[in-house]
Amino acid sequence: MAGMVAGSKRARGGSGRVKLEEVARKANVSTATVSRAFNEPDKVSEEVRQRVKDAARALNWIPNAAGRALASRRTHIAGAIIPTLDDEIFAHQIGGMQTVFSERGFTLFLGCSNYDPDEGLRQAEAMLARGVEAIAVVGENHPAELFDALNSRGIPYVVTYSYNKLSPHPCIGFDNRAAFSRMTEHLLSLGHRRFAAIFQPDTNNDRVKDRLRGVSEALAAAGLEIAAQYLMMGPSTLEFGAASFAGLMTQAVDVRPTAIVCGNDNLALGALMAARECGLDAPGDFSITGFDDLAISSRFSPRLTTMKVDNQEIGVLAANELLAVIAGRQAQAQSREVVPVLKIRDSAGHARGA
């Protein structure tokens, strides 16, 4: 046994580490094919790529990232910066990106800005220092230095969770303004004329600004507006949604809002929880809408009227656009729109007397 171990170590250059040649022999392919399976997976058939990966796994062999980068001037690393780790919608986006990048032999680095543009810039700079070949960021509200750094280095990037035809950046997402305009128009069609809104902060958040603009534009077209005291803005939590609803319901029945537009499902669900404690119900006493279509939203009672966004598809589209640029199939990432779907459920109904 001792002799076998010693011989094995000598075959591996005395280090005990598995060599690329051993992986090639086990997979019954050339060493060049092993390299291509990891460095340029698109050039290897799926069957061969899987055989190489199985052999590498069986031998506990991991490609040397530094060596790969020096040999090919490629790092096979992509980056994504999201504003928070507390929201499942961004988890779905990252999941979609991770799947696509992993299939192409890329590692995905993840950064979180906590809605601080300067922190987002620091995250991007750290990723660039480590040789990322592409970056995805959420929204357009970032320092100009971030986009300058990407453009000057020729690093492809996309802006996700937002879509603006006039944007100078490639956008993979949806039109926040149009989505909330459509939601407001739905409530108007049900006869509502007294509106309130419960929203997350719009500081450093261009998506929330666009959502509020969509609400105000739809109301203005109907000759209406949200009174200042009926616009509640705060943390995107169940607690803030509940507290905001309780505050709105202190008004007399004949003057308080009959329709409440919420910036997301979390706030709307908090409001519905508070309604139970107040002895009120939707859509009998008021109507309320959310956005995102969280898993619980269609199971809560009443079922929440909201808009569903395929966030995983946003991640898949973003990764594919970036990979197309990296592979040289196109000069830059292209904008792609993902249209939200209005989910009409029980929480919004006709206004009383309408």
Side-chain angles (χ1 to χ4, degrees):
M1 178 67 72
M4 289 177 64
V5 171
S8 175
K9 283 189 175 182
R10 280 194 297 272
R12 298 172 189 178
S15 67
R17 293 172 59 187
V18 175
K19 286 186 174 182
L20 181 144
E21 291 84 353
E22 294 177 75
V23 178
R25 281 197 298 272
K26 188 172 183 63
N28 196 28
V29 297
S30 67
T31 55
T33 298
V34 174
S35 295
R36 277 195 294 272
F38 286 97
N39 296 333
E40 300 174 289
D42 289 344
K43 295 184 178 180
V44 180
S45 72
E46 184 176 349
E47 186 272 330
V48 171
R49 188 165 64 243
Q50 190 59 49
R51 205 163 75 229
V52 170
K53 287 185 177 180
D54 289 343
R57 188 176 294 110
L59 293 170
N60 291 319
W61 183 77
I62 300 174
N64 184 295
R68 289 166 65 198
L70 285 173
S72 64
R73 296 185 180 179
R74 298 280 303 280
T75 62
H76 292 82
I77 299 172
I81 301 173
I82 59 175
T84 177
L85 294 170
D86 297 332
D87 200 323
E88 70 177 63
I89 63 172
F90 297 119
H92 291 160
Q93 176 189 313
I94 295 302
M97 294 185 68
Q98 171 77 27
T99 298
V100 175
F101 278 125
S102 181
E103 289 173 350
R104 307 294 176 81
F106 273 71
T107 299
L108 181 63
F109 282 1
L110 179 62
C112 180
S113 69
N114 292 314
Y115 290 100
D116 179 350
D118 292 332
E119 177 59 27
L121 176 60
R122 285 190 288 272
Q123 294 280 341
E125 290 173 338
M127 290 181 181
L128 289 171
R130 285 160 178 78
V132 294
E133 295 191 57
I135 285 183
V137 296
V138 173
E140 300 183 70
N141 202 103
H142 300 280
E145 298 96 305
L146 187 151
F147 296 114
D148 290 344
L150 295 173
N151 288 323
S152 65
R153 291 171 172 79
I155 302 296
Y157 70 91
V158 291
V159 166
T160 66
Y161 213 63
S162 179
Y163 181 82
N164 180 357
K165 291 180 180 178
L166 301 178
S167 174
H169 312 296
C171 298
I172 313 289
F174 58 94
D175 188 330
N176 284 272
R177 183 198 59 76
F180 274 75
S181 180
R182 184 182 177 198
M183 182 67 82
T184 306
E185 289 166 355
H186 173 63
L187 290 167
L188 286 166
S189 73
L190 295 172
H192 292 282
R193 292 298 178 267
R194 299 198 302 272
F195 281 75
I198 306 175
F199 270 74
Q200 57 271 60
D202 63 354
T203 304
N204 298 323
N205 193 324
D206 52 302
R207 284 94 58 212
V208 172
K209 287 185 173 71
D210 284 342
R211 294 179 183 190
L212 286 168
R213 188 157 60 91
V215 175
S216 63
E217 287 178 357
L219 290 177
L224 303 171
E225 64 179 2
I226 295 178
Q229 68 269 28
Y230 292 156
L231 175 57
M232 324 293 280
M233 299 187 72
S236 181
T237 61
L238 294 171
E239 291 75 16
F240 181 73
S244 297
F245 178 84
L248 291 170
M249 292 303 111
T250 60
Q251 302 294 319
V253 175
D254 59 340
V255 297
R256 69 190 183 200
T258 66
I260 304 173
V261 183
C262 294
N264 61 30
D265 282 6
N266 217 32
L267 294 168
L269 292 170
L272 285 170
M273 291 175 185
R276 289 180 178 176
E277 298 177 4
C278 297
L280 300 172
D281 71 272
D285 297 303
F286 66 96
S287 287
I288 190 166
T289 62
F291 192 87
D292 290 329
D293 195 25
L294 302 180
I296 193 176
S297 299
S298 60
R299 296 167 175 81
F300 195 85
S301 182
R303 297 182 310 142
L304 182 63
T305 291
T306 185
M307 274 195 169
K308 180 179 182 62
V309 178
D310 192 338
N311 295 294
Q312 185 171 0
E313 179 67 6
I314 289 176
V316 168
L317 290 172
N320 280 325
E321 283 296 324
L322 293 173
L323 285 167
V325 179
I326 292 171
R329 294 195 297 272
Q330 57 192 45
Q332 60 185 22
Q334 303 299 306
S335 292
R336 303 286 295 275
E337 184 175 12
V338 176
V339 180
V341 178
L342 178 60
K343 296 290 185 178
I344 299 175
R345 300 191 181 118
D346 307 330
S347 69
H350 289 279
R352 282 185 173 180

